[in-house]
Amino acid sequence: MFDVLVIGAGFSGLQAAYSAQQAGLSTVVLEARDRVGGKVWSVPLASGRGCAELGAAWINDTLQPRVWAYAQKFGMKVVKQRLEGQAVMEPGLDERFVFPFGVTPEFTEQEKKNLEHIRDHIQAESLKQGPLSGEDDNVTLDQYVRNLGALPKIIQMVNLWAQVMHGVEATEESAAWFIDYCRRNRGLLAIRADDASGGQYLRFQDGSQTIANRLADLIGTSKIHLSTPVATIDDHSSHVTVTSTKGQTFTARKVILSIPSTMYKELNISPRLPAAVQEVTNGTVLGDYNKAIVCYDRPWWRDLGFNGYFASYAGPVILARDTSVDEKRHFALTCFVNGEPGREWSKLVPHERRAAVLHQIARVFKQDRNSEAYRPIEVFDQIWQHERYSRGALAPITALGHLTRFREVYGRPVGNLHFVGTEYSPEWKGYMEGALCSGELGAEEVVRALRRRERALL
């Protein structure tokens, strides 16, 4: 019998297992995929020039201490997010304007003031302490900003925030959930920032998945069972029995479940989770969060004075960034195809998805069919909704009213079952740092529970 069995070898699960092990507990990890890392997935390029980050990619060296500590421990090199150059905004198929990156786009003076009013209001709310408003949890983010007097273009901008950050439309998440997400991530401005003040500051030269692979080595690869999906979890009060879809049986004193709450209902858990826990977790959804990574032989957009960043209401790409690693001669634009545009794009066959992205890149940067825009050396796309054991990204979003209504049970232990994941993290929710934080806290929770049990037996 193990002390702790962890289900899921993403960052949260690996950190939980490692922290438990460091506390002297025996651990075993079951992972459904044939790899560790979860929503962190770095795929080597055929060109040999590095890797494509299909999942989580960005970190901050001063604001995210856990992930940065691993970067230093494992000797990982980083590259700063490129900011130099002009950015592009595409309000519609026939509209486009270029502006200095980091400033308000060329809206009218009235629209600029309105955007600043909405942005500053949400920023102020996201820096407050204390409980969230039940009223805000029962209204969508879209209606919330309309109530604040948002103008049409500003409503579109807020919708873009929801698409980029969560893979949903502003009509599909509560204002309280959005504000809470910002609170856990040092405010709206920190989430949106690509410089040292925000979450998109640095990237790894050799891939984020290196951390997962090295963490697995620290835990011991013999203790991590890959390609082992879980079918049933039976909590017997004194211990838990977990059975895989292959019929393998594992026994532990405690189980840490490190999968998105959206997927709890797919497991046969006995006794059943409490009704309140089922209601809140059955109601969570994962956004349509997709990437298209277009790799080129050289960064041709820089020659035109652009830094590779563009945002679009027209789509299908809603936002793109230069994700090159110059040292490796890896030059790429990472395009996010999220929310409703992502849902439609994901229905296309692969060559149609690729064509749609290339056409938009050429359109945004005013390039013709003979340009380098149409001559990538490699193209990747990742539709996280199609990934069987992820079903979307970044963090599950609670239904309207559920975040405040179920705050006393959401993510809390049930019997010998404990729950971790970036969705529960008190800081940097939705990021690698948040996943590590939740895993660390989950292990501490288990250690305390086992010690209480031992004292009770004595």
Side-chain angles (χ1 to χ4, degrees):
M1 182 187 295
F2 296 96
D3 291 320
V4 185
L5 184 151
V6 179
I7 299 172
F11 269 39
S12 292
L14 291 172
Q15 182 61 57
Y18 183 58
S19 294
Q21 195 176 73
Q22 291 296 102
L25 303 181
S26 59
T27 62
V28 64
V29 181
L30 308 184
E31 168 55 51
R33 303 174 181 86
D34 60 1
R35 62 175 179 84
V36 298
K39 292 175 187 172
V40 180
W41 192 8
S42 310
V43 177
L45 302 178
S47 65
R49 299 182 185 181
C51 63
E53 296 281 30
L54 301 187
W58 282 273
I59 67 162
N60 189 296
D61 56 342
T62 58
L63 304 179
Q64 299 178 343
R66 296 170 184 83
V67 71
W68 183 244
Y70 281 130
Q72 293 180 301
K73 182 182 182 72
F74 302 144
M76 299 171 70
K77 294 181 179 179
V78 295
V79 58
K80 288 183 182 179
Q81 182 58 42
R82 187 176 181 85
L83 304 179
E84 300 80 8
Q86 297 282 87
V88 181
M89 183 72 195
E90 193 181 45
L93 287 173
D94 300 319
E95 292 183 85
R96 168 190 181 271
F97 51 82
V98 176
F99 63 100
F101 182 79
V103 304
T104 303
E106 293 180 5
F107 294 157
T108 66
E109 282 305 310
Q110 182 186 20
E111 288 167 340
K112 282 184 179 180
K113 288 181 180 178
N114 188 245
L115 173 59
E116 290 165 3
H117 166 66
I118 300 297
R119 180 200 65 198
D120 293 347
H121 175 89
I122 294 177
Q123 171 70 358
E125 288 297 311
S126 66
L127 295 180
K128 287 182 178 178
Q129 303 294 319
L132 293 158
S133 161
E135 181 181 350
D136 292 347
D137 197 26
N138 281 283
V139 66
T140 67
L141 176 62
D142 177 81
Q143 188 59 54
Y144 182 83
V145 298
R146 288 176 187 271
N147 292 345
L148 291 173
L151 297 172
K153 279 191 179 178
I154 311 312
I155 291 170
Q156 285 183 298
M157 178 63 78
V158 172
N159 192 59
L160 186 71
W161 294 348
Q163 291 175 331
V164 172
M165 292 161 60
H166 308 135
V168 296
E169 304 297 298
T171 56
E172 298 172 328
E173 65 179 357
S174 81
W177 197 93
F178 185 88
I179 291 167
D180 180 65
Y181 186 90
C182 294
R183 283 186 182 180
R184 294 170 189 250
N185 294 303
R186 293 176 175 256
L188 173 66
L189 298 184
I191 298 174
R192 304 299 309 130
D194 288 5
D195 59 14
S197 69
Q200 289 72 237
Y201 179 45
L202 302 171
R203 292 174 286 109
F204 293 114
Q205 286 194 15
D206 294 306
S208 306
Q209 197 176 346
T210 299
I211 291 180
N213 294 335
R214 296 294 299 276
L215 259 177
D217 290 339
L218 291 176
I219 295 165
T221 52
S222 64
K223 298 172 184 176
I224 301 174
H225 297 256
L226 300 177
S227 302
T228 308
V230 167
T232 64
I233 302 172
D234 295 297
D235 189 347
H236 304 287
S237 184
S238 62
H239 65 281
V240 184
T241 302
V242 176
T243 306
S244 76
T245 57
K246 299 175 182 178
Q248 302 157 286
T249 299
F250 302 83
T251 305
R253 298 163 72 194
K254 289 282 187 180
V255 163
I256 295 178
L257 200 54
S258 179
I259 65 173
S261 61
T262 308
M263 299 177 67
Y264 295 169
K265 59 181 175 287
E266 298 177 25
L267 299 176
N268 183 10
I269 300 175
S270 178
R272 298 182 67 182
L273 294 174
V277 176
Q278 289 187 59
E279 186 171 355
V280 65
T281 58
N282 288 353
T284 60
V285 297
L286 283 158
D288 288 85
Y289 209 90
N290 311 312
K291 276 186 176 182
I293 302 170
V294 188
C295 308
Y296 293 96
D297 192 50
R298 67 184 202 91
W300 52 266
W301 54 92
R302 296 181 193 170
D303 296 342
L304 302 172
F306 298 108
N307 68 1
Y309 177 98
F310 69 82
S312 174
Y313 299 153
V317 178
I318 58 162
L319 184 136
R321 288 185 174 96
D322 181 332
T323 51
S324 304
V325 180
D326 292 27
E327 189 173 318
K328 292 182 174 292
R329 295 180 52 246
H330 167 39
F331 303 108
L333 293 171
T334 291
C335 303
F336 293 88
V337 196
N338 297 358
E340 183 59 34
R343 280 169 220 156
E344 296 306 311
W345 181 78
S346 68
K347 297 174 185 176
L348 303 175
V349 296
H351 75 274
E352 291 175 334
R353 294 199 299 267
R354 169 181 166 149
V357 170
L358 294 183
H359 291 332
Q360 187 174 355
I361 289 173
R363 184 179 77 222
V364 164
F365 295 118
K366 293 290 187 182
Q367 300 298 289
D368 60 33
R369 290 303 300 255
N370 297 316
S371 69
E372 288 181 83
Y374 283 101
R375 297 199 299 274
I377 58 174
E378 294 184 60
V379 179
F380 297 81
D381 67 24
Q382 172 65 9
I383 300 169
W384 282 101
Q385 286 279 359
H386 293 180
E387 221 269 358
R388 183 177 178 184
Y389 298 111
S390 294
R391 307 288 177 80
L394 302 168
I397 300 165
T398 52
L400 286 184
H402 281 194
L403 185 63
T404 53
R405 180 181 167 195
F406 295 111
R407 60 185 158 210
E408 298 303 319
V409 300
Y410 182 55
R412 303 298 174 86
V414 175
N416 287 311
L417 306 185
H418 297 254
F419 307 96
V420 301
T422 191
E423 66 182 289
Y424 301 126
S425 180
E427 53 188 275
W428 290 108
K429 179 177 181 176
Y431 287 76
M432 289 181 276
E433 179 73 9
L436 294 173
C437 175
S438 179
E440 185 180 278
L441 294 175
E444 291 174 1
E445 185 178 84
V446 165
V447 169
R448 288 194 302 270
L450 288 177
R451 285 176 180 165
R452 282 197 302 269
R453 181 187 294 180
E454 288 166 358
R455 285 197 297 268
L457 290 174
L458 290 174

